[in-house]
Amino acid sequence: MAKIVVVYTSQTGFTQQYALWIAKSLHCEVLDTKFITTEDLAKNNLVIYGGHVIGQRITGFRQFYHQYQAALPIPLFVFGTGIAQLDGDSQQRLRKQNFGECTTPPQFFYFHGHVARVKPPLRMRVGMKVRGVKPERAQCVIGTQAVRPLLEAVVRQEPTSGW
């Protein structure tokens, strides 16, 4: 079995929850980017990075990639979370914006989440209003089912990479 680590950055706990679902399903370590070291990454066969999608940016990914590029194994998986629905064109622009400097572009997954029935923080409401985003609560899949596409890609990757 591969040694896998899920690394995430989260300000509100939204992305952290997805990281925890992934780590639980893969039975692997999960680390906040505030606490990782080069050694944490180098000892693994697969790194999965998660950040919140804001506009065309995956929070913290560029800094993470530049700082740890030499220690990152290939393949690298990245997931983004957000409350906006992203179509194929939006996801393609997101890939170009965030992975243009990557030697080998990572596999990317977008997880469309939902806003709880309680009011989101003011800064999120303002950002949503500016971008014209309206959360669609009813269409969101939550729990480990939400991360299934990434989990299936990890399983498909494992036999071909010689882990």
Side-chain angles (χ1 to χ4, degrees):
M1 182 71 175
K3 288 199 49 120
I4 302 170
V5 64
V6 178
V7 178
Y8 71 92
T9 182
S10 184
Q11 294 178 351
T12 63
F14 192 76
T15 303
Q16 178 186 34
Q17 184 58 61
Y18 283 86
L20 292 171
W21 287 330
I22 293 166
K24 179 181 176 185
S25 297
L26 295 174
H27 305 287
C28 68
E29 188 174 17
V30 61
L31 296 169
D32 188 311
T33 56
K34 297 173 196 151
F35 306 111
I36 60 171
T37 64
T38 302
E39 293 77 28
D40 291 329
L41 300 173
K43 70 181 181 183
N44 290 284
N45 303 99
L46 178 65
V47 173
I48 302 170
Y49 178 89
H52 191 72
V53 174
I54 299 175
Q56 291 297 312
R57 187 173 60 90
I58 301 167
T59 55
F61 179 75
R62 278 193 172 166
Q63 179 182 355
F64 169 80
Y65 186 79
H66 286 292
Q67 185 170 355
Y68 298 108
Q69 179 179 1
L72 293 173
I74 296 174
L76 173 65
F77 284 51
V78 176
F79 70 91
T81 62
I83 56 174
Q85 281 281 40
L86 295 185
D87 60 18
D89 290 338
S90 297
Q91 288 192 35
Q92 192 59 32
R93 285 191 302 275
L94 190 66
R95 284 181 177 90
K96 281 183 184 179
Q97 181 73 20
N98 291 275
F99 308 140
E101 299 173 14
C102 296
T103 308
T104 303
Q107 291 190 46
F108 176 69
F109 301 86
Y110 179 72
F111 301 128
H112 175 230
H114 70 285
V115 176
R117 298 226 178 255
V118 297
K119 270 188 174 178
L122 178 62
R123 64 180 166 73
M124 283 182 73
R125 291 194 315 261
V126 170
M128 290 166 52
K129 181 86 169 165
V130 168
R131 291 189 308 276
V133 173
K134 293 182 181 178
E136 299 175 25
R137 293 184 186 112
Q139 297 178 356
C140 299
V141 178
I142 59 171
T144 54
Q145 288 294 85
V147 296
R148 182 170 297 283
L150 186 147
L151 300 174
E152 290 172 352
V154 169
V155 170
R156 281 192 308 270
Q157 183 69 39
E158 190 171 358
T160 62
S161 64
W163 294 342

